[in-house]
Amino acid sequence: MSDTTATDGRVIGERALQTRRRILDATAALLREQGALDVKAMDVAREVGTSPATFYQYFADVEDAIFALALELPEKVAPIQTQFESDWSGPAGLDLARQAVSDYTDFWDENAAVLRVLLLRADERDERFRQVRRDYNAPFMTAMVAKVRSAQDVGRIAGAIDAEATAGAMLAALDRLPNYREGFEKRGTSREAMIETVARLLHSSLTGEPLS
Amino acid sequence: MSDTTATDGRVIGERALQTRRRILDATAALLREQGALDVKAMDVAREVGTSPATFYQYFADVEDAIFALALELPEKVAPIQTQFESDWSGPAGLDLARQAVSDYTDFWDENAAVLRVLLLRADERDERFRQVRRDYNAPFMTAMVAKVRSAQDVGRIAGAIDAEATAGAMLAALDRLPNYREGFEKRGTSREAMIETVARLLHSSLTGEPLS
DNA sequence: CTCCGGTTCTGACACTCCGTCAGATGGGTG
DNA sequence: CACCCATCTGACGGAGTGTCAGAACCGGAG
């Protein structure tokens, strides 16, 4: 699975790799411009300046191309995931949380179109998208669950709290709020205020330290 | 706008209303079964046992039909929204929060397919879906923002916290977690544990009372 | 330089779906 | 029963889908 292949299973060479890449880039661009429901294989082919048949040489359909884009996300997000692994206790921890939330928000802004399809198809129970969502989420979840558990160990967070659910709720906030930012800004909540607040919620919910 | 019309603007009668309804129900069913990217106008027509032309008499395309389904959500969710308006302070408040979270989760389970498209298209900046999302969200947001503000007034929550962002984060948790439930259950977190935890997070974040 | 063999690309096609119309259908009313 | 108007649909031109067989391309080998 580590070699990239054509739809017939053939391992592809340098020239083909470049074509495949141009198709992926065009798919990402159209996804951003037109939304997930409107991207046609033929649009992508036109955009790349190639024949539709070429598109089908590399991807079974548009969803398959978006899936390939989604496969690239876990790797891209890895540096941010490590930020969630450091110790967030104490006031310095709040700074770390701020940075992490800010970076994650930036990441969302850059990859929103693909992330939305990834989440949508995973929510719709498509197994392969679910697998990618797991790969994508797992490091965040593991890191955040560990924070909650260790706060529970020292009695800072009640045992009745479920660590997984807490981590999931925080990830939910991180994943949906970038989509609301524009609305927030219209009503006077700046990006910074949003990040500050979410960072505090994360910090408090994960470490059990008071919401200062 | 209060009368339901055909695509040519004509106000429609009883028989047509029933046809329209059957089309909407079939759309909802296919949406649940196949996911948003795969529903074709022709599939819907086949499902209803009618000609495709009939579909286009009532809806411009599949998205338009889903939009009509989304329009029905704000009304359906109203009873749950009022639960967010009561006073959640004190331990009795936690009970109210539990009930609200539980009901909202049920609502999501029943309307997941349409909700997902509503959020997706609104996130993709489609203006009419945005409008519906606003109508849908506003009562939740208003109620939750008010809770945070009044907690801030009595000094329970710091002024550096943004009330809108807090409410948004909680709504985010409510909107995404139902989609993760299956995964949670596989890893040992029951629906009840999830609801309990989210209820506590909401209660604590919105009232400023400690995460007990 | 030219020819060769494998790789990559595409024209052409059959099929399905889209979206529109003019006209057929049907059920309520006098 | 006959009419009328709301409703439905057959039929069509156009666009997108997906598949081939063969054309174009490219990097050696001679």
Side-chain angles (χ1 to χ4, degrees), chain A residues 24 27-28 31 35-37 39 55 59 61-73 113-118 121 128-129, chain B residues 37:
Chain A
L24 284 176
T27 304
L31 202 55
L37 304 172
V39 183
F55 178 94
F59 305 104
D61 51 30
V62 173
E63 183 177 317
D64 194 36
I66 301 176
F67 179 74
L69 288 167
L71 275 180
E72 300 176 344
L73 292 176
V114 176
L115 277 166
R116 283 194 283 255
V117 178
L118 166 60
R121 294 296 296 135
R128 52 183 203 159
F129 278 95
Chain B
L37 303 173

Side-chain angles (χ1 to χ4, degrees), chain A residues 10 13 15 19 50 53-54 57-58:
Chain A
R10 194 184 84 251
R15 177 161 60 123
T19 304
T50 183
T54 302
Q57 190 145 39
Y58 298 105

Side-chain angles (χ1 to χ4, degrees), chain B residues 61-121:
Chain B
D61 51 30
V62 173
E63 183 177 317
D64 194 36
I66 301 176
F67 178 74
L69 288 168
L71 276 179
E72 300 176 343
L73 292 176
E75 188 183 359
K76 285 211 239 171
V77 85
I80 300 175
Q81 287 165 334
T82 62
Q83 294 188 54
F84 283 74
E85 284 158 15
S86 51
D87 182 5
W88 283 9
S89 57
L94 183 51
D95 270 338
L96 294 171
R98 269 190 205 103
Q99 191 57 51
V101 171
S102 171
D103 285 357
Y104 193 66
T105 302
D106 289 344
F107 180 80
W108 246 96
D109 288 345
E110 280 156 30
N111 301 96
V114 176
L115 278 166
R116 284 195 281 257
V117 178
L118 166 59
L119 295 183
L120 172 73
R121 295 296 296 134

Side-chain angles (χ1 to χ4, degrees), chain A residues 97-150:
Chain A
R98 269 189 204 103
Q99 190 58 50
V101 172
S102 171
D103 286 357
Y104 193 67
T105 302
D106 289 344
F107 180 79
W108 245 96
D109 288 346
E110 280 156 31
N111 300 96
V114 176
L115 277 166
R116 283 194 283 255
V117 178
L118 166 60
L119 295 183
L120 173 73
R121 294 296 296 135
D123 291 350
E124 287 177 348
R125 336 175 70 90
D126 180 285
E127 248 332 300
R128 52 183 203 159
F129 278 95
R130 284 210 163 179
Q131 181 61 50
V132 178
R133 185 180 68 179
R134 265 195 297 278
D135 293 347
Y136 177 93
N137 280 347
F140 289 111
M141 288 296 288
T142 305
M144 292 197 281
V145 165
K147 286 193 211 311
V148 175
R149 293 250 160 82
S150 63

Side-chain angles (χ1 to χ4, degrees), chain A residues 78 80-88 139-140 142-144 146-147:
Chain A
I80 300 174
Q81 287 165 335
T82 62
Q83 295 188 53
F84 282 74
E85 284 158 13
S86 50
D87 182 4
W88 283 9
F140 289 111
T142 305
M144 292 197 281
K147 286 193 211 311

Side-chain angles (χ1 to χ4, degrees), chain A residues 112 115 181 184 192 198:
Chain A
L115 277 166
R181 235 211 8 262
F184 281 167
E192 287 68 35
V198 176

